[in-house]
Amino acid sequence: MNIYHATIVLPDRVIENGFVSIKNDRIESIAAGKPDQITDGDLDAGGKWLLPGLIDSHSDAIEVEIEPRPTSRFAVELSFAELEKKLVAEGITTIYHAVSLLKRNTVRKARANDTAYELIGSINRLSKGPHLIHHKAHLRYEIANIDALDAVTELIRSGQIDELSLTDHTPGQGQYRDLEVQRRLLIDHRHFSEEEAERIIKEARTQAKLDPKQIKKLIDCAVQYGISVASHDDDTIDKLNLVHSWQVGISEFPITIEAARYARKLGMWIVMGAPNLVLGKSHSNNLSAREAVHEGLVDLLCSDYYPASLLHAAFKLHFELGMHPSQAFNTVTLNPAKALHLDHEIGSIEPGKKADLLLVNVGPLNQPQVANVFVDGKEVCRMNYLAAQPILQER
């Protein structure tokens, strides 16, 4: 089939009026103008933007879908199926479900060891059944969760995870270098009392962690199995030097502009949250994604805790911050594909790659409106917006 009369965003340029030919699950060719012959199976894009499917390297959405309230837990099969309907409608065609292994001090049962292991197994199992998009498992491993080390190593060796990030939420450093930010999170968001919050912070500041040799051995194992490894909430040059020496290639959510600059100097992929960019600030008062963008220090955007933000953030990069469309959309397509070793298959509109594609209309106030989604060359989602109606005036 052909998708024609499209504004095609390529990795380095834009074709204003072109077409893409799809054969089976692959992109066969790309050209300006119209196909020589148009058949009933072809699709007139009507000038809409034709983009690669979005790749979300870090999304907590599956945990929230399963456990939207501390006392409400839905079956993983229902949650998985319902979540991917939302994701495909938001233009996400490859999702890395971020499963957290926190063990301690969490009101989310999904982040306890046994339930997290079970969730990873379920993601792998359900991704092989009927599905709309591609599903991957991203394990967020808290280095104070010493008891989980052997299990995490086995998950790597058995091919059950596709990305590993190392997290350290010890108060007084990283994301919680400002203790008041963590205190407010525990009280306002996780509903602990002030006394409980103080106790949790005090205990966490003295908890044991994996030693550097254990961490390096785990990273070596992941690298051996071709798994991309990320360091989370980098806040010092010493930390960046250490993780970089261990072959960690991704810096997720650097805390300060200085940390982001140094990650760039080391040649690491820099990931910032799309919600941070859309809202104009970090929810934990750390580095602003917009500030990092202005210095050219953002390679990837991920949805973090709000999947809908991914496409909106890319549109903001172009329409509000003046970034070239190719560069803006590479942050949510080609660059994640490269960082996660998927760029031979997906991430850009190029002949031979999988036909994971979006048709997106530019709506009022430059808001994206997803119209069609293709995965493996098949249309998996179509949305027909009703015409805007005039606002009725009161008599």
Side-chain angles (χ1 to χ4, degrees), residues 56-168:
D56 193 353
S57 66
H58 180 134
S59 170
D60 301 342
I62 188 68
E63 294 179 344
V64 178
E65 195 75 24
I66 291 171
E67 200 172 291
R69 294 290 185 274
T71 56
S72 301
R73 186 172 175 83
F74 289 88
V76 67
E77 289 81 6
L78 182 152
S79 301
F80 184 92
E82 294 306 314
L83 175 60
E84 74 165 1
K85 293 177 189 176
K86 300 175 187 177
L87 296 173
V88 73
E90 290 154 357
I92 296 170
T93 57
T94 299
I95 183 80
Y96 279 72
H97 296 288
V99 180
S100 297
L101 269 175
L102 291 186
K103 183 185 177 183
R104 288 182 166 189
N105 302 333
T106 176
V107 294
R108 287 189 188 172
K109 186 178 178 183
R111 292 186 169 185
N113 284 0
D114 289 346
T115 48
Y117 302 148
E118 183 181 349
L119 178 54
I120 290 169
S122 296
I123 290 168
N124 280 277
R125 171 175 56 85
L126 294 169
S127 67
K128 295 177 175 64
H131 58 280
L132 295 169
I133 64 175
H134 307 300
H135 296 268
K136 306 283 187 179
H138 173 172
L139 181 65
R140 302 177 65 220
Y141 179 33
E142 184 74 16
I143 62 172
N145 193 350
I146 297 172
D147 295 344
L149 179 60
D150 290 343
V152 172
T153 303
E154 181 54 33
L155 288 172
I156 292 171
R157 289 174 174 164
S158 60
Q160 294 191 64
I161 64 172
D162 304 286
E163 182 182 4
L164 173 68
S165 59
L166 300 170
T167 66
D168 182 359

Side-chain angles (χ1 to χ4, degrees), residues 109-269:
K109 186 178 178 183
R111 292 186 169 185
N113 284 0
D114 289 346
T115 48
Y117 302 148
E118 183 181 349
L119 178 54
I120 290 169
S122 296
I123 290 168
N124 280 277
R125 171 175 56 85
L126 294 169
S127 67
K128 295 177 175 64
H131 58 280
L132 295 169
I133 64 175
H134 307 300
H135 296 268
K136 306 283 187 179
H138 173 172
L139 181 65
R140 302 177 65 220
Y141 179 33
E142 184 74 16
I143 62 172
N145 193 350
I146 297 172
D147 295 344
L149 179 60
D150 290 343
V152 172
T153 303
E154 181 54 33
L155 288 172
I156 292 171
R157 289 174 174 164
S158 60
Q160 294 191 64
I161 64 172
D162 304 286
E163 182 182 4
L164 173 68
S165 59
L166 300 170
T167 66
D168 182 359
H169 290 96
T170 302
Q173 58 81 56
Q175 181 177 352
Y176 299 126
R177 58 183 182 150
D178 183 345
L179 294 179
E180 184 58 26
V181 170
Q182 187 171 23
R183 187 176 290 110
R184 296 307 341 150
L185 174 68
L186 290 168
I187 294 170
D188 299 340
H189 183 65
R190 297 182 182 170
H191 310 299
F192 288 106
S193 68
E194 290 190 12
E195 294 76 15
E196 289 171 327
E198 290 296 337
R199 175 184 55 80
I200 288 169
I201 291 172
K202 183 177 179 180
E203 290 178 357
R205 295 192 77 175
T206 59
Q207 65 187 339
K209 305 177 189 178
L210 296 177
D211 65 47
K213 290 182 180 179
Q214 291 174 306
I215 298 172
K216 183 180 185 304
K217 185 177 180 180
L218 181 66
I219 294 170
D220 286 344
C221 182
V223 171
Q224 178 186 348
Y225 282 84
I227 296 170
S228 294
V229 183
S231 178
H232 190 78
D233 293 337
D234 296 318
D235 59 343
T236 68
I237 288 174
D238 287 344
K239 178 182 177 182
L240 283 162
N241 277 328
L242 183 61
V243 298
H244 184 256
S245 73
W246 291 340
Q247 300 184 72
V248 173
I250 301 171
S251 177
E252 274 194 330
F253 316 126
I255 298 300
T256 66
I257 195 70
E258 292 78 16
R261 288 170 183 155
Y262 199 73
R264 166 67 74 245
K265 181 179 178 180
L266 294 173
M268 300 176 74
W269 293 100

